[in-house]
Amino acid sequence: MDDTEIRRTWRKLIVPFIMGLIILIVAIIFHRFGSKRPGPQALWFFVAVLGAVFTAFPGFQMLRFRQHLKNRNKGDGMDS
């Protein structure tokens, strides 16, 4: 895996992570400061759950990819 593939993989992981984080933050803000009726409150709660899922899965994959890169560098004899 060369540097170009590593950068591409990081980009594929960071973009959904950031989008999920933005969705989560916006949903929490609208849930907290938006309409106090039950309908919109439930909608923003479910959007917050969706944002958390969109943040958690790429975040977990980022951790695994980072660990993979560390293990690969150890095997090559490179210290980073």
Side-chain angles (χ1 to χ4, degrees), residues 28-49:
I28 289 172
I29 289 172
F30 273 90
H31 181 72
R32 177 72 175 107
F33 299 115
S35 174
K36 299 301 177 197
R37 294 181 305 159
Q41 286 286 310
L43 173 71
W44 289 114
F45 172 75
F46 289 122
V47 171
V49 170

Side-chain angles (χ1 to χ4, degrees), residues 15-36:
V15 169
F17 179 79
I18 291 174
M19 290 179 69
L21 197 60
I22 290 170
I23 291 170
L24 180 63
I25 291 170
V26 168
I28 289 172
I29 289 172
F30 273 90
H31 181 72
R32 177 72 175 107
F33 299 115
S35 174
K36 299 301 177 197

Side-chain angles (χ1 to χ4, degrees), residues 2 19 23 27 33 37-38 43 48 50 52 56-58 60 64-65 69 73:
D2 62 349
M19 290 179 69
I23 291 170
F33 299 115
R37 294 181 305 159
L43 173 71
L50 182 70
F57 283 121
F60 180 68
R64 288 183 57 198
F65 185 64
L69 290 177
N73 287 341

